[in-house]
Amino acid sequence: MLFDTNDVYSKGIISTAFITNVTTVGELKFEVVTNNRTFIFRAESEAERNEWVTVLQDCTSGRQRHTVMNPGSPLAPDYQGYLELKGLRSKLYTVVASDKVFLYKNIDDYRIGLGITSIEMNVGNIKVSDRRSFDLTTPYRIFSFIAESEQMREQWVNAMRDAIGEALSNSEVAERIWAESSNSLCADCEAPKPEWAAINLCVVVCKQCAGEHRGLGPSISKVRSLKMDKKVWTEELIQLFLVIGNERANSFWAANVPPSEALSPSSCSEERRRFISNKYRQGKYRRYHALYGNQRELNHALCINVQCSDVLETLSLIFCGADVNCSTGLESQPSPLSLATAHSQPLQAELLNHNLNTEEVDAMDPEPYPLPPSVSHNGFLFKTASMARPVTERKAKEEFSRRWCTLNDGVFSYYESDKNSNPNGALKASEIVCLASDNDDRHGYNNTFEIYTESERLYLFGTDDSEVKSQWVKSIAKAFIPVSAEPLLRLNSERIGKLMCKDGLNLQRSKVGWFALEGSVLHVYLEGSQVEEIHLRKLNELCQSLQCNITIKFEELLFSFVSGERAVSSGLSLCLCNILLCVFLCVLVNVPSLGMVSEGIYRKSGVNSRVAALCERFRHDARSLCLREGEHQVDDVSNTLKRFFRELKEGVFTTQDSPSWLSTASKTIQDESTKISQYKQFLNKLPHVNKATLQALIEHLYCVQHFSDDNQMNNHNLAIVFGPTLFQTDGKDYAAGRAIEDLIEHYKLIFEVDEQQLNKQIEVIEVIHKMRNLKNPPSERGGDFICTVYLEEKASGERHVKIPGSMTALELTLEILDQRNIPIKDKDYWSCWEICCKEEMERPLHYQERVLPIVHSIGTESHLLIKKHAAMEAITLYLSSKPDASKHGMIKFREERSILGLGLTSFHERYFILNYNSLRMYKDVRSNRPEREWPVKNLKVYLGIKKKLRPPTCPQFDFYRTVCFTYLPLFICRYLCCETQSEMREWYATFLSIQYDGNVWPQDGLQHKRVSRELPDTRHGNVSLIPLRGSENEMRNSVAAFSQDQLAVSQSTNHWE
């Protein structure tokens, strides 16, 4: 090799495999001959020249001569090809062979054995720097290479890493260090088999963490290899690491690591850098010595401790501030190091020796650091332009563009191609609020997914490969879902993300929760609790209000199943006992009360139009349907039940198991117990919902046949009706009827029911019919709520009203007016208002709006109020004069993010356009692109504004010049401040007209809508109904009054007379 005296790496090399002759020529010179060239060298002395000649002749003697490089040569390559070396602007032919890398000018020089230099890989390290670039780092120089493609780069990197592994084959020291079990795991991230160590800190670390230790500098962390730096590893140093070990070392260094900040083997470089800096530079997690802060006592303790064998105590003293070079006060042993040597403590001396120049650890930084995600993924995807609203229409393939996408260090980026270094756009994981996996074939690409961000933007990506989509969805979800909610990642969810929610009894404060929708099950994780499941098919109520949230406050933007396409609306609703809700309402709630003794029940036909309407109601919203006597006939309900089972997909017995039931029923089996045993086996094979539903139906039919003297429907008659219906057959074969007849006859044995409980149920039905015969009013359906409602003002006119799920704002208004005997005059616009005292705003409920969802959603600082709508006449006149529902103009605008607690913005003038689809905000009249856009029907519009916000157009805080609207995700109040009251009324009227399709007020007024109502029963069974709203005293008084006399409540709250 030819060297520059100042460079470790040669300027040229000659392979001895190609040397044909070595001879002396002239004074102090010798000649090296190859097949292609002759090289003459000059030595410093004749003795040196002769030594060179002898050595070279020994290397070449007896070897086969090579004219070209071939695989049989000593330099048989593991990998070879051209690489560009940064700085030269030319490509070099590079060869990886065994534990070395050789550089040649070109392939011809390689073939004749003439190279530039060789690199020993035992001191090398590979670091990927760009898509096609990587660095080969040595202690003496960094070689920056550029491959022809990203794929070629990966192959080069793998080959060179294999060469490094070959060079590090000496593992004697590593094996001895790993003999201490805790040293076999990295002290920082617990990666297995760590091959590096910080010899002054007494910790064994992995390769990735060692790189970050080097970044601290040798004055803090002295990093050495267990395999390469053999000379460093004296017997004393090895013994020191065996005595201390990572576990004992971390009892000092990592005594106070929060679980949220701990590293794992998969942590990214940024996480490692932050953690290692906190741990060793700042000492954030260390166990503080009792003498910390007292320099004199620390030094004194160090001098005493180095005389014994407790090296861990010495480590603690050094890194809590003791001076390694302090004076001992002894002339013969002036320093702790000499003191340890004098007392024959070689391990203490070794530890002190490696820390003579170590910097003092900084004071602890008390601020925690949030950990970014540590997921990496890349590949090509197809992307559409980002959107401001959910995707409702199909996107064709032509609307997608091919993009190179990467996910690194918590940032999802997309590029024009894999050769571009600057991304077209990037999304931080912290900005993602929801990830949705679309159904197949929804768009032009079969497999698509959607990303929703906090800025209310939607990003749609697609691919033709389902596996590629699955990998991307898993990687992105892992990047933005916190570790504490990790169980959600194991689900095969359609949507996953974070939501603001209210739960339990605390409905006044929203908090962040993590949710995953898997089929019809919603998995919920709230901080500090376990993952819970909400079975959406069992919800008592799932309703959508104007701000597009359901009972538990799910944003429409994140969970679009509210709008109609998810499991709740498309699946079959269940009651809490897993019975199909249609069956539950018909056979267990309504038919017993509507007429189980009705003659010919289930054989007589109902009115087809009414039956079809009931079936449609059950399919779309079974929970809101309340069957009432007089409104719904027994035969209509019974026919609805039969049609439901006839049209039920797969049937209650399932397509797969139906033949087994029919086969057993058609056989002539003398021993009834054998047949019953077979039926029980088939029953246990049914899905849980099918089994529960079938038992509920057969129990009902058993009760029906009990009254066969009245209804003429015995076992046989019921079997004739329900056999073909439940098995979905044509009825020509009586096997289906025989099976149902067996189930009814042997109901108690097959279903193993409690006979005493069954008899009680029959007694209850008998009592119901006795009451009917006495013409007592039937009991109303339970599930209603008592709510405090005020008349005209909160200070007086308090009323307590039972609110069923179907009650509208108009019905509530009329009931309050009826209770107070207040007459309704012409053009009296009495309305129900939602009053928000805290926000200083109010909202008149639309007369068709259901009240119960409002009762559930408002807090204790809000209430319902019945009063006249002073502006309604002007609103109706304005709308009658407008040909279409739209409006535009300049308005003062501001928004307040109240839940997140972000700073308030000031009022700005903006140009707004309100049409049937959306409310759009532009910077000015000339702007072509809106700054913001909101779907109108998803807005909840209030009147008023907080006084402290000081609206610019309302110097006297005129309450009715400001419109406030809210829209989820994240509850945000947005204020539109108008110049005049009339302008505000016009905007508000347009909002109402669009949201309710022009039906703002009943056309025939309130007089014709007025109905008489009976005083509601105050008890549900034996349990008093408790008001949901009002102060603690009001609630206590109301409960006491209701338990005694409901009329007393009405009289005690009468402040009008």
Side-chain angles (χ1 to χ4, degrees):
M1 295 188 183
L2 308 179
F3 288 91
D4 188 319
T5 55
N6 296 321
D7 198 346
V8 174
Y9 295 104
S10 65
K11 300 298 183 182
I13 56 175
I14 304 171
S15 174
T16 57
F18 292 86
I19 298 176
T20 59
N21 191 26
V22 180
T23 59
T24 59
V25 289
E27 184 180 358
L28 302 182
K29 295 180 182 178
F30 64 95
E31 181 180 72
V32 177
V33 181
T34 69
N35 289 333
N36 301 86
R37 292 182 63 179
T38 298
F39 300 88
I40 297 177
F41 298 93
R42 180 185 178 92
E44 299 249 340
S45 65
E46 186 172 351
E48 186 178 4
R49 188 265 314 267
N50 294 337
E51 185 178 357
W52 273 107
V53 171
T54 301
V55 171
L56 288 173
Q57 287 175 344
D58 290 341
C59 289
T60 58
S61 62
R63 288 191 180 180
Q64 179 183 358
R65 304 291 185 255
H66 297 281
T67 55
V68 294
M69 188 69 72
N70 62 65
S73 72
L75 296 179
D78 297 317
Y79 198 77
Q80 58 186 327
Y82 280 101
L83 282 175
E84 181 181 341
L85 183 62
K86 290 183 181 180
L88 291 182
R89 296 186 178 179
S90 62
K91 294 184 178 180
L92 299 179
Y93 195 76
T94 308
V95 176
V96 181
S98 186
D99 60 349
K100 297 181 178 64
V101 172
F102 298 88
L103 302 181
Y104 300 85
K105 286 185 178 180
N106 48 54
I107 192 172
D108 294 330
D109 283 2
Y110 163 66
R111 287 172 176 167
I112 62 176
L114 300 179
I116 299 173
T117 191
S118 66
I119 306 169
E120 298 285 342
M121 297 301 284
N122 64 330
V123 293
N125 184 36
I126 302 297
K127 181 179 180 182
V128 176
S129 57
D130 203 349
R131 291 184 181 174
R132 295 189 298 122
S133 304
F134 66 95
D135 295 337
L136 170 55
T137 305
T138 72
Y140 319 105
R141 182 177 173 182
I142 298 176
F143 297 87
S144 297
F145 295 108
I146 303 176
E148 294 181 356
S149 67
E150 188 170 356
Q151 183 179 7
M152 293 292 291
R153 182 205 66 185
E154 292 301 320
Q155 295 174 0
W156 277 108
V157 167
N158 292 335
M160 291 191 182
R161 284 176 175 167
D162 289 342
I164 293 174
E166 181 72 18
L168 303 179
S169 57
N170 184 4
S171 57
E172 179 185 352
V173 172
E175 294 295 339
R176 291 189 63 188
I177 295 292
W178 293 339
E180 161 57 39
S181 58
S182 64
N183 288 340
S184 63
L185 296 177
C186 174
D188 295 331
C189 72
E190 297 189 347
K193 299 296 182 182
E195 299 179 357
W196 298 81
I199 58 176
N200 63 319
L201 306 177
C202 295
V203 290
V204 185
V205 296
C206 66
K207 182 178 179 180
Q208 287 76 15
C209 292
E212 304 305 331
H213 274 263
R214 288 194 191 95
L216 299 177
S219 61
I220 295 178
S221 181
K222 298 175 182 178
V223 183
R224 297 294 184 269
S225 171
L226 301 184
K227 292 185 174 181
M228 295 185 293
D229 299 315
K230 189 174 181 179
K231 294 180 180 180
V232 173
W233 292 98
T234 62
E235 184 62 28
E236 290 77 12
L237 184 58
I238 293 174
Q239 291 300 321
L240 178 64
F241 271 76
L242 292 175
V243 170
I244 294 183
N246 279 350
E247 184 176 1
R248 297 188 71 205
N250 272 336
S251 68
F252 167 70
W253 286 115
N256 302 295
V257 177
S260 61
E261 298 186 33
L263 290 183
S264 68
S266 60
S267 296
C268 65
S269 58
E270 182 61 30
E271 289 176 330
R272 294 177 192 271
R273 186 177 303 116
R274 183 183 299 116
F275 177 84
I276 290 170
S277 176
N278 288 341
K279 184 176 179 180
Y280 301 106
R281 183 192 295 277
Q282 301 177 24
K284 181 177 179 180
Y285 313 124
R286 62 187 162 176
R287 174 174 50 82
Y288 281 82
H289 197 279
L291 301 176
Y292 179 75
N294 191 331
Q295 188 66 53
R296 181 177 177 181
E297 292 299 325
L298 282 170
N299 293 346
H300 183 62
L302 178 64
C303 294
I304 295 175
N305 194 72
V306 296
Q307 301 176 42
C308 67
S309 61
D310 190 353
V311 287
L312 183 61
E313 176 69 7
T314 299
L315 182 75
S316 174
L317 288 166
I318 292 174
F319 290 100
C320 281
D323 185 0
V324 178
N325 300 301
C326 67
S327 174
T328 64
L330 301 175
E331 186 176 350
S332 56
Q333 296 97 31
S335 66
L337 178 58
S338 60
L339 197 61
T341 304
H343 284 80
S344 301
Q345 296 295 334
L347 302 189
Q348 295 278 18
E350 190 74 15
L351 177 58
L352 293 169
N353 187 51
H354 288 297
N355 284 286
L356 292 176
N357 300 312
T358 301
E359 288 184 6
E360 183 181 349
V361 177
D362 296 339
M364 183 180 70
D365 182 358
E367 293 297 324
Y369 292 88
L371 292 180
S374 56
V375 185
S376 296
H377 198 65
N378 59 64
F380 281 104
L381 289 172
F382 296 88
K383 176 186 177 295
T384 65
S386 64
M387 293 158 275
R389 64 181 68 183
V391 183
T392 55
E393 71 282 356
R394 177 182 173 86
K395 295 289 185 181
K397 274 194 173 184
E398 294 75 20
E399 298 182 66
F400 288 81
S401 301
R402 191 169 184 256
R403 294 287 182 264
W404 174 258
C405 300
T406 64
L407 178 63
N408 288 308
D409 295 335
V411 179
F412 177 79
S413 307
Y414 48 92
Y415 301 78
E416 191 72 27
S417 71
D418 59 339
K419 296 182 180 179
N420 290 81
S421 57
N422 295 323
N424 291 4
L427 300 173
K428 294 182 180 179
S430 58
E431 297 174 349
I432 300 175
V433 294
C434 179
L435 176 65
S437 177
D438 295 326
N439 297 329
D440 294 345
D441 302 327
R442 181 178 177 185
H443 299 291
Y445 285 93
N446 294 337
N447 302 281
T448 56
F449 62 90
E450 303 166 10
I451 298 176
Y452 297 83
T453 67
E454 287 183 342
S455 58
E456 298 183 14
R457 303 297 296 178
L458 183 154
Y459 297 81
L460 176 63
F461 296 88
T463 176
D464 279 328
D465 191 331
S466 60
E467 186 61 29
V468 171
K469 168 193 168 182
S470 177
Q471 290 298 323
W472 273 109
V473 169
K474 290 179 180 177
S475 298
I476 296 173
K478 188 175 181 181
F480 82 97
I481 297 296
V483 176
S484 55
E486 187 177 359
L488 299 180
L489 297 174
R490 306 190 194 109
L491 305 171
N492 185 24
S493 55
E494 303 169 45
R495 289 175 180 255
I496 187 169
K498 63 179 177 180
L499 304 167
M500 302 300 297
C501 65
K502 300 178 181 179
D503 72 318
L505 299 175
N506 185 12
L507 296 177
Q508 289 74 49
R509 177 177 296 179
S510 296
K511 54 185 175 182
V512 175
W514 296 90
F515 297 78
L517 179 64
E518 183 182 31
S520 61
V521 179
L522 189 67
H523 301 265
V524 183
Y525 173 78
L526 301 177
E527 193 66 37
S529 63
Q530 299 295 321
V531 174
E532 299 179 6
E533 294 181 358
I534 298 176
H535 293 268
L536 300 179
R537 293 168 64 186
K538 297 183 183 180
L539 288 183
N540 186 52
E541 184 168 3
L542 180 68
C543 57
Q544 180 180 0
S545 57
L546 284 179
Q547 73 262 42
C548 255
N549 60 336
I550 65 174
T551 310
I552 26 185
K553 299 287 182 184
F554 297 126
E555 291 98 329
E556 180 271 342
L557 181 61
L558 302 183
F559 286 94
S560 63
F561 65 80
V562 175
S563 61
E565 66 177 2
R566 294 298 173 190
V568 175
S569 56
S570 60
L572 297 171
S573 299
L574 306 177
C575 70
L576 293 178
C577 46
N578 285 322
I579 302 172
L580 291 174
L581 190 60
C582 173
V583 181
F584 178 80
L585 293 176
C586 289
V587 306
L588 297 184
V589 177
N590 297 289
V591 171
S593 62
L594 291 177
M596 187 175 285
V597 296
S598 175
E599 184 175 347
I601 184 173
Y602 292 118
R603 292 198 69 171
K604 293 195 297 185
S605 300
V607 178
N608 191 55
S609 60
R610 294 202 294 257
V611 172
L614 277 175
C615 288
E616 190 68 17
R617 286 287 303 277
F618 273 122
R619 275 192 289 267
H620 282 80
D621 190 6
R623 300 191 185 280
S624 66
L625 179 59
C626 180
L627 301 177
R628 293 187 175 90
E629 187 174 8
E631 182 179 348
H632 301 98
Q633 303 300 317
V634 174
D635 295 330
D636 294 339
V637 175
S638 61
N639 272 259
T640 299
L641 182 64
K642 290 190 296 181
R643 183 176 296 187
F644 174 82
F645 278 112
R646 170 69 72 173
E647 298 174 353
L648 186 64
K649 187 178 180 181
E650 293 285 324
V652 71
F653 291 100
T654 74
T655 305
Q656 180 180 357
D657 293 335
S658 289
S660 301
W661 288 86
L662 296 175
S663 176
T664 301
S666 60
K667 293 178 181 178
T668 303
I669 302 176
Q670 298 299 328
D671 187 4
E672 289 292 331
S673 62
T674 302
K675 181 181 286 189
I676 291 172
S677 177
Q678 292 181 5
Y679 282 141
K680 292 172 74 172
Q681 291 179 9
F682 300 149
L683 183 67
N684 292 328
K685 289 174 60 178
L686 289 177
H688 191 60
V689 173
N690 295 48
K691 180 180 178 181
T693 301
L694 179 63
Q695 179 172 354
L697 176 65
I698 299 302
E699 179 179 305
H700 168 68
L701 297 181
Y702 180 87
C703 295
V704 171
Q705 63 86 31
H706 182 80
F707 296 95
S708 59
D709 292 341
D710 296 318
N711 58 35
Q712 307 301 314
M713 295 299 292
N714 57 25
N715 289 356
H716 184 73
N717 291 339
L718 289 171
I720 292 174
V721 173
F722 276 96
T725 297
L726 295 179
F727 284 97
Q728 299 178 345
T729 63
D730 54 13
K732 295 180 181 179
D733 185 358
Y734 186 64
R738 179 72 261 178
I740 299 303
E741 191 169 348
D742 288 341
L743 290 177
I744 297 174
E745 182 178 352
H746 303 292
Y747 166 69
K748 290 183 284 187
L749 294 175
I750 294 174
F751 291 92
E752 300 177 350
V753 299
D754 185 345
E755 187 171 356
Q756 185 177 2
Q757 184 176 356
L758 181 62
N759 292 335
K760 282 186 177 180
Q761 182 175 341
I762 294 174
E763 291 175 5
V764 170
I765 297 174
E766 291 174 343
V767 171
I768 291 175
H769 291 294
K770 287 180 181 179
M771 293 175 63
R772 286 170 55 82
N773 293 334
L774 295 174
K775 296 184 180 182
N776 282 342
S779 59
E780 294 187 31
R781 179 187 177 189
D784 302 342
F785 291 90
I786 295 296
C787 178
T788 302
V789 183
Y790 299 91
L791 185 60
E792 294 198 305
E793 59 182 11
K794 188 174 182 180
S796 61
E798 176 185 317
R799 314 295 299 176
H800 300 288
V801 183
K802 184 167 71 170
I803 299 179
S806 59
M807 176 175 275
T808 63
L810 175 60
E811 292 173 339
L812 175 60
T813 302
L814 295 177
E815 179 157 328
I816 294 297
L817 296 179
D818 284 344
Q819 288 184 10
R820 296 300 306 133
N821 294 321
I822 297 177
I824 300 178
K825 300 178 182 178
D826 188 27
K827 295 186 179 181
D828 271 357
Y829 296 96
W830 288 95
S831 301
C832 179
W833 296 67
E834 176 189 347
I835 309 297
C836 302
C837 301
K838 181 180 179 180
E839 302 296 329
E840 301 179 37
M841 58 189 185
E842 61 185 18
R843 179 178 73 90
L845 274 60
H846 186 263
Y847 75 93
Q848 292 180 336
E849 190 172 349
R850 291 168 62 190
V851 179
L852 190 57
I854 307 301
V855 173
H856 283 312
S857 63
I858 62 178
T860 56
E861 296 180 351
S862 301
H863 60 274
L864 297 180
L865 180 71
I866 305 299
K867 67 174 182 176
K868 293 181 180 179
H869 198 317
M872 183 53 69
E873 183 175 4
I875 288 174
T876 54
L877 289 174
Y878 170 74
L879 293 176
S880 64
S881 64
K882 283 182 63 66
D884 61 337
S886 64
K887 189 166 177 60
H888 58 88
M890 299 295 294
I891 307 180
K892 296 289 194 306
F893 172 82
R894 78 176 284 167
E895 66 180 1
E896 173 188 357
R897 299 177 182 262
S898 57
I899 285 182
L900 294 182
L902 301 181
L904 301 179
T905 59
S906 58
F907 277 95
H908 298 279
E909 195 166 36
R910 291 291 185 267
Y911 182 70
F912 282 85
I913 295 179
L914 175 61
N915 57 34
Y916 185 79
N917 293 318
S918 61
L919 174 66
R920 298 179 182 177
M921 181 178 74
Y922 298 81
K923 189 172 183 180
D924 52 45
V925 179
R926 294 168 294 181
S927 300
N928 295 322
R929 187 173 182 177
E931 290 182 335
R932 304 290 292 278
E933 184 175 359
W934 303 274
V936 180
K937 295 200 175 183
N938 295 341
L939 303 180
K940 193 170 185 179
V941 185
Y942 292 83
L943 303 173
I945 188 173
K946 290 182 181 179
K947 292 183 179 181
K948 69 176 183 180
L949 298 183
R950 304 188 65 83
T953 59
C954 310
Q956 303 301 321
F957 304 110
D958 191 336
F959 192 72
Y960 288 108
R961 291 188 188 176
T962 306
V963 175
C964 171
F965 68 89
T966 63
Y967 175 74
L968 295 179
L970 302 181
F971 184 85
I972 302 174
C973 293
R974 298 179 174 93
Y975 300 95
L976 305 180
C977 199
C978 305
E979 295 288 342
T980 63
Q981 285 191 26
S982 60
E983 182 185 4
M984 185 280 304
R985 279 198 302 268
E986 292 174 2
W987 279 99
Y988 182 68
T990 308
F991 272 113
L992 287 181
S993 180
I994 293 173
Q995 290 183 330
Y996 296 101
D997 299 322
N999 184 16
V1000 175
W1001 191 258
Q1003 293 184 357
D1004 49 1
L1006 295 185
Q1007 296 93 330
H1008 300 282
K1009 296 287 183 181
R1010 192 160 192 168
V1011 294
S1012 61
R1013 289 180 174 267
E1014 299 178 5
L1015 285 173
D1017 186 7
T1018 62
R1019 303 181 69 84
H1020 180 209
N1022 293 323
V1023 182
S1024 298
L1025 296 173
I1026 301 175
L1028 294 181
R1029 302 289 167 232
S1031 66
E1032 185 178 353
N1033 290 331
E1034 291 171 342
M1035 293 174 68
R1036 187 182 299 111
N1037 294 335
S1038 299
V1039 173
F1042 264 75
S1043 63
Q1044 296 173 7
D1045 182 7
Q1046 62 181 0
L1047 295 179
V1049 178
S1050 301
Q1051 295 166 1
S1052 64
T1053 56
N1054 184 359
H1055 301 288
W1056 286 81
E1057 298 178 1

